[in-house]
Amino acid sequence: MNEKIHHGRNIKRFREMMGIKQESLAFELGPDWSQKKISLLEQKEEVEEELLRQVAEILKVPAEGLFVVN
């Protein structure tokens, strides 16, 4: 069983479970971020570990949760 972890899909799933809009996540990540950039991030299969940790902190979930196979 060689399933890939899709980081972007995991980010989207947790963001939606927490009731956070893409615009809100973008705001929390800083001025370089926009709703469109979050949308693109959620489509990426692989996301840099540091960014995953930042997103996990904002969503108040363990970073390891973003590494699950879905």
Side-chain angles (χ1 to χ4, degrees):
M1 204 164 199
N2 192 8
E3 296 185 48
K4 292 281 285 177
I5 296 171
H6 195 290
H7 294 149
R9 205 173 301 141
N10 288 341
I11 290 170
K12 180 177 182 175
R13 189 178 65 217
F14 278 107
R15 179 184 58 73
E16 289 177 341
M17 282 189 331
M18 303 304 287
I20 297 173
K21 294 190 175 295
Q22 289 179 333
E23 294 89 350
S24 299
L25 180 56
F27 177 80
E28 292 293 330
L29 282 170
D32 292 340
W33 288 87
S34 64
Q35 178 274 324
K36 177 70 174 165
K37 206 167 167 184
I38 297 297
S39 179
L40 293 172
L41 176 70
E42 291 178 350
Q43 295 173 35
K44 289 178 70 174
E45 189 168 325
E46 289 189 47
V47 177
E48 318 65 71
E49 187 174 345
E50 179 57 35
L51 181 53
L52 279 174
R53 295 199 182 284
Q54 281 182 280
V55 170
E57 189 175 316
I58 292 166
L59 297 178
K60 296 178 177 43
V61 297
E64 293 74 28
L66 299 176
F67 290 95
V68 296
V69 175
N70 50 10

